[in-house]
Amino acid sequence: MSDIKTIEGDFTGGKGRYCLVVGRWNSFIVEHLLQGALDALRRHGVSDKQITVVRAPGAFEIPLVCKKVAERGDVDAIIALGAVIRGGTPHFEHVAGECTKGLAAVGMEFGLPVAFGVLTVDSIEQAVERAGTKAGNKGEEAAMSAIEMVSLLNNLG
Ligand code: INI
């Protein structure tokens, strides 16, 4: 037996309140991320009353919307869902970069878990692979990380 003290989270949704901030761009993909995230939350004991969905125009706007949600102070974690698909879009890198930086900043400013469920891919095919087909579902992964973080932060006190 080791004497090392380990503090970790579990995957019991408990009473945590979760807000999913969902980009409308590439909705064909993003709706599957949303379904994956909702399914994961429900299967881990989170009731629909503990869940709020907020819609944002696109990935670029998601961080600001997350910031406003965090300011309200009524959720334990935010799950950001979107899809940035290169496919010839000139400002792809800008949108993806701003979204990533912005989400990390909101998490640090508010001490709130902000799970990153924004796909950044080169093609629609890659997006489909990560939205519930052969490479899993990024929305589900983000929801699992949010559940674990809510539990971990509780256990850290
Ligand atoms: N928004 C996305 O969510 N995904 C994209 O792939 C995307 N591309 O490629 O342009 C995208 N652009 C829109 C952006 O998020 C803003 O909504 C728009 O620029 C208005 O501010």
Side-chain angles (χ1 to χ4, degrees), residues 9-24:
D10 63 29
F11 292 94
T12 313
K15 294 190 188 343
R17 297 156 302 170
Y18 295 84
C19 181
L20 298 105
V21 176
V22 185
R24 291 187 195 278

Side-chain angles (χ1 to χ4, degrees), residues 83-98:
V84 186
I85 304 175
R86 188 190 300 270
T89 313
H91 57 301
F92 164 91
E93 297 297 348
H94 176 65
V95 169
E98 290 304 316

Side-chain angles (χ1 to χ4, degrees), residues 16 23 39 45-46 54-55 57 62 64 79 85 88 93 101 114 129 135 137 143 154:
D39 187 50
V46 179
V54 177
R55 302 276 183 176
I62 287 176
L64 175 57
I79 301 164
I85 304 175
E93 297 297 348
K101 269 191 292 175
V114 180
E129 285 174 3
N137 184 312
N154 276 334

Side-chain angles (χ1 to χ4, degrees), residues 83-127:
V84 186
I85 304 175
R86 188 190 300 270
T89 313
H91 57 301
F92 164 91
E93 297 297 348
H94 176 65
V95 169
E98 290 304 316
C99 183
T100 309
K101 269 191 292 175
L103 290 178
V106 171
M108 294 307 286
E109 180 179 348
F110 291 90
L112 189 70
V114 180
F116 188 76
V118 181
L119 288 175
T120 305
V121 291
D122 289 328
S123 66
I124 289 174
E125 188 184 3
Q126 284 181 359

